Amino acid sequence: MTRRLLLSYLALTVLVLAGLEIPLGYIYARGETARASQSVERDASTLAEVTEENIEQSRFDALPDVVGDYAARTGGHVVVTDKRGIVLADSDPAGRAGISLAGQPDIARALNNRPSVTTTTDSAGRDVLSATMPGSSGTLVRGTLRLTYPLDQVSTRVHRIWGALALAGACILAAVALVGFSLARWITRPLRTLEAATTQLADGQLSHPPDATTGPPELRRLAAAFTRTATRLQHLLKAQQAFASEASHQLKTPLTALRLRLENFEPHLDPQAHGSLEEAVGEVERLGRMVQGLLALARLENTATTPEPVDLDAVIAERAAMWEPLAAEQYVAIDISGPPAGRVWAIPGALEQIIDNLLANALRVSPPGTTITLHRTPGTELHVVDQGPGMNAADRERAFDRFWRSSDAHHDGTGLGLPIVRHLVDASGGTITLHPAPGTGLDAHIRLRPFAPPFPAPRSGGEDFDSRGPRGHRTPAGRRR
C-alpha cells in the first residue's frame, strides 16, 4: 500500500508539473523567437537606412565595412543590393558582388518597397530568421538589404530553459517522493502492525497488539477495535480450552467410579441380569471414549501447528506392525501394497492418528479371514481398503459428520473417529474421501501433499490425542457405520 500511495502522489505531481511547465516552456520558446524576429527586423531597418544613405551619396566602398562590422559583432549575414537587385556588398567572404538577386521573392518585394520578415533555410541547411528591407526615401527605392540571423542561439536558449524546467520538475518530484514516502509510511504503519497482529492471531497467540498511537485517526480507532476484539477472542478461546480440559478431568473420575460400581454389582445380581449389566458397562466405556474424542477435537481446533515432512512409508509400516497382533486375534490380515510413496507434508503425529483410526474402523467391521490393505499409489496417495459390509452413497456423504452412525453400526462407536481423521488430513493440507471397495467393503482414499520445499504451510490445528492403538487394546474413536 505504501508503494501505491507513493505512486499516486508522484502521478498527481507529474500531471500538475506537466500542466504548468509544458505551457510555460512553449510560451517561452515563442517569446524567444518573437524577440529574435523583432531584433533582426529592427537591425535590418537600421542597416537599410545606413546603406541607403551611402548608396545615395555613391559611397559604395563604405558598404563592405558597414556590413562586415555588423556581421562580425552579431554573427548575422548581410547582403546589400542596388535598386536593380545587383549585389553591392556581402558580409560573407565567399559571397560574390555584382550578381543579380532580383528574381528572389524577398528581394523582389523589397524592390517594390515592401519589407518582409520570415523564417527560412540558408544554403548550409540551417534554420535562419530573414529580414529584407528596402533602402528608400519615401517612395524612391535606392537599394535593398537582407539580414539573416541563425536560429542556433535562439534554439540554445530555448533548450536551456527546457532543461531548467526539467531540472526543476525533477527536484520537485524528488521532494514530493521524499515527503510522500514519509506520509505513506505514516499512513500505512497501523496497517502493517495490524497485518502482523492478524497473522499472530491466526497462529493462535496475539503477543504484539497493533500500534494504535500513530497514523490517521480512523486507522488508530481500527487498531484499537481490533485489539479489543482479538483480546476478547483469546479470552473466549482460553475459556473454551479450559472448559474442555476441566470437563475431561471432571468426567474421568465419575465415569471410572460408575464403571467400578457397576462391576461390583455383578456378584449380587441374578445371572439373568448379567447381560444388561454388561451392556451398561459398555455404554459407560463408550461414553468415556466419546469424552476423549470430544477433548481431542477441541485440542485440534484450538491449536495451530505447521506441517512438517514425514516419511509416509515408515509410518505405514510402523502402524501396520503395531496393529497386526490385534488383527491376528480376529483372524484378519493387514497387507501393504503399492510403490513407496516417499515423504509428505503432515502435522506432527497426524499420520499415526489417521492410520490408527482407519485401521480400527476397518478391523471392527472386517469378517474373519479377510484382509485390510494399505495401498500406496503415485502422487502420495494412500488407500485403506477393507472387506467389510461397506457403506451406501448416502452414508458415505454423512460419514464425516460428528456423532453420526449408520443404522447398522455397532453400538461401541462414538461417531468421532472420521471427523478427527478429516480434521487431521485438512490440517496437513490433504484431502480424504470414501469410495466403495471392489467387491464389498470401503476404500478410504487419502491424498497428501508431496514434500517439495518451499511449501506454503497452511495454518490449522492439530495435536495428538489420547489414543494408544492396539497397545493395551485401547483403540481410537469407533467406526462410524
Side-chain angles (χ1 to χ4, degrees):
M1 186 173 181
T2 301
R3 182 176 60 182
R4 288 193 291 270
L5 285 174
L6 181 59
L7 289 178
S8 65
Y9 299 153
L10 292 178
L12 181 60
T13 305
V14 168
L15 289 177
V16 173
L17 289 176
L20 293 177
E21 291 193 349
I22 292 178
L24 180 61
Y26 180 72
I27 292 172
Y28 178 83
R30 292 193 61 180
E32 279 294 312
T33 303
R35 283 191 295 272
S37 177
Q38 293 172 1
S39 177
V40 169
E41 183 179 4
R42 184 177 61 251
D43 291 352
S45 298
T46 302
L47 286 175
E49 293 177 359
V50 173
T51 56
E52 188 269 337
E53 182 180 352
N54 288 329
I55 293 173
E56 181 184 5
Q57 298 176 4
S58 300
R59 294 200 301 268
F60 300 109
D61 56 344
L63 293 176
D65 294 334
V66 172
V67 299
D69 180 65
Y70 178 84
R73 287 187 291 105
T74 64
H77 178 209
V78 184
V79 176
V80 180
T81 70
D82 60 13
K83 61 182 179 180
R84 295 173 298 171
I86 303 300
V87 176
L88 299 176
D90 191 337
S91 63
D92 186 0
R96 291 184 301 168
I99 63 174
S100 176
L101 301 180
Q104 297 184 4
D106 59 330
I107 298 295
R109 284 194 295 271
L111 291 175
N112 291 322
N113 205 15
R114 290 183 297 169
S116 62
V117 180
T118 184
T119 302
T120 184
T121 304
D122 64 4
S123 58
R126 297 179 303 172
D127 291 333
V128 295
L129 277 173
S130 177
T132 306
M133 299 294 173
S136 61
S137 297
T139 59
L140 178 61
V141 178
R142 293 189 174 87
T144 65
L145 181 138
R146 175 198 287 166
L147 171 60
T148 58
Y149 187 82
L151 287 175
D152 294 346
Q153 296 183 13
V154 177
S155 300
T156 300
R157 289 195 297 271
V158 171
H159 292 161
R160 187 180 299 115
I161 193 61
W162 278 114
L165 290 174
L167 180 60
C171 294
I172 293 174
L173 279 178
V176 169
L178 180 61
V179 175
F181 180 76
S182 302
L183 181 60
R185 294 282 294 181
W186 176 74
I187 292 175
T188 59
R189 176 179 173 80
L191 293 179
R192 293 194 302 273
T193 59
L194 188 61
E195 180 185 10
T198 304
T199 303
Q200 294 174 15
L201 185 61
D203 290 336
Q205 181 66 36
L206 181 60
S207 55
H208 300 287
D211 186 6
T213 61
T214 60
E218 296 82 0
L219 293 181
R220 292 202 297 267
R221 289 194 294 268
L222 175 62
F226 175 84
T227 301
R228 290 194 300 270
T229 303
T231 303
R232 178 62 176 167
L233 287 176
Q234 284 186 302
H235 175 73
L236 292 176
L237 289 175
K238 289 180 180 178
Q240 180 184 357
Q241 294 173 0
F243 171 78
S245 178
E246 292 172 2
S248 173
H249 289 295
Q250 294 296 329
L251 287 173
K252 283 180 181 179
T253 300
L255 287 176
T256 303
L258 178 60
R259 177 180 176 181
L260 291 176
R261 288 179 181 274
L262 290 175
E263 291 176 348
N264 289 336
F265 284 150
E266 185 176 3
H268 307 288
L269 294 178
D270 187 275
Q272 295 181 356
H274 286 178
S276 298
L277 179 62
E278 290 179 358
E279 290 182 0
V281 172
E283 289 297 324
V284 172
E285 291 180 349
R286 191 170 75 87
L287 181 58
R289 291 195 299 273
M290 186 176 296
V291 170
Q292 292 295 330
L294 288 173
L295 181 61
L297 279 174
R299 287 200 298 260
L300 286 172
E301 293 172 351
N302 294 330
T303 304
T305 304
T306 302
E308 300 175 353
V310 180
D311 190 339
L312 178 59
D313 302 304
V315 174
I316 291 174
E318 176 190 357
R319 303 323 296 168
M322 294 297 296
W323 280 90
E324 280 178 351
L326 182 60
E329 293 179 6
Q330 302 181 25
Y331 302 99
V332 176
I334 297 179
D335 181 48
I336 301 175
S337 64
R343 305 178 77 186
V344 298
W345 288 98
I347 62 175
L351 287 182
E352 291 83 352
Q353 297 181 59
I354 292 169
I355 295 175
D356 281 348
N357 273 279
L358 295 177
L359 285 176
N361 289 346
L363 187 60
R364 187 173 293 109
V365 299
S366 295
T370 59
T371 300
I372 300 174
T373 303
L374 299 174
H375 179 68
R376 299 164 298 192
T377 59
T380 60
E381 298 180 4
L382 173 64
H383 297 259
V384 180
V385 184
D386 62 56
Q387 295 177 324
M391 301 172 68
N392 57 42
D395 288 347
R396 291 196 301 271
E397 289 292 329
R398 299 192 58 191
F400 294 104
D401 296 340
R402 295 185 183 184
F403 302 112
W404 181 87
R405 294 183 300 131
S406 61
S407 58
D408 59 345
H410 295 282
H411 292 289
D412 59 348
T414 63
L416 291 174
L418 287 181
I420 291 176
V421 169
R422 183 178 63 177
H423 190 91
L424 291 171
V425 172
D426 291 344
S428 301
T431 58
I432 179 171
T433 54
L434 299 179
H435 305 276
T440 61
L442 190 68
D443 177 6
H445 178 200
I446 305 168
R447 181 181 289 107
L448 298 170
R449 293 177 179 268
F451 173 61
F455 175 71
R459 300 184 183 94
S460 182
E463 182 179 307
D464 291 349
F465 62 94
D466 189 10
S467 176
R468 301 174 187 172
R471 291 181 177 175
H473 292 227
R474 293 188 61 188
T475 61
R479 181 73 161 183
R480 302 153 48 87
R481 291 183 182 265

